[in-house]
Each structure stands twice: as C-alpha cells, then as structure tokens.
Amino acid sequence: SAGVDVSYVGMHCLSYGMRSATKVMLGAHACLSNGAVVARAGSALVALCAQRANVPVLVCCETYKFAERVMLDSICANELGDPDDLISVRPHLQPGAPTAS
C-alpha cells in the first residue's frame, strides 16, 4: 500500500539478488558508540555483498538498543579489569623472586 517494492533473497542467491537491489535494510540487536552494529549471523555477509555491488545498507535499530560500549573485535568487548585475575603466576616465577642455582 505504501508503493515500496520489496524482495526477500536467500543467502544462496544473495549476489544474484543484489544486482537488482537499490537498498539493503538490516535489523540490529545493538548499535555501539563507535558505529559498530551487533546483528544476526549472516548480516556481515549481506553488508559486504551490498558494498561490493555499490548498494547502500540501512540499519534499522530502535533507540533503546543504542549502547555506549565499544567492540574491539568480533569476539570480546572492552571490559576493564585486573589482568592478574585472568591467570595466576606461581610464586617462584614472579619478578624479583630468588632463583635456584
């Protein structure tokens, strides 16, 4: 009723469907403060395919999903803490400990 033509394409024929696309719309779980988007699996593949075909990508995300965090890579976020909490160093291996000769 709004006059918007929409097509849904499966992942197996994504590059073929991208030829006729004028825009790509993706949903997101979160938008981070550095502009990174957390979304479902496969979203990065769709965005990369759209970039290669010079098709603009629009990310739809509600404002309550905006986060002040920053993802440094795709696995972990920037949690700050004491690095000594991650591993324990045996007392005889610590710097300044006497060595056996």
Side-chain angles (χ1 to χ4, degrees):
S1 66
V4 178
D5 293 329
V6 177
S7 297
Y8 181 82
V9 184
M11 294 295 273
H12 63 283
C13 59
L14 183 62
S15 60
Y16 178 78
M18 200 62 68
R19 295 177 189 172
S20 61
T22 57
K23 291 174 195 62
V24 172
M25 297 180 73
L26 295 174
H29 293 299
C31 286
L32 307 180
S33 62
N34 65 345
V37 174
V38 179
R40 293 197 177 274
S43 297
L45 178 65
V46 173
L48 287 172
C49 188
Q51 179 187 24
R52 184 164 177 98
N54 290 326
V55 176
V57 176
L58 305 172
V59 176
C60 304
C61 184
E62 295 91 346
T63 55
Y64 73 89
K65 293 183 178 181
F66 290 176
E68 303 227 357
R69 300 189 75 172
V70 175
M71 286 191 82
L72 302 175
D73 58 24
S74 62
I75 301 172
C76 62
N78 60 338
E79 295 182 14
L80 301 176
D82 185 11
D84 292 331
D85 291 342
L86 298 175
I87 59 171
S88 61
V89 178
R90 291 178 278 180
H92 67 279
L93 296 177
Q94 290 195 6
T99 57
S101 32

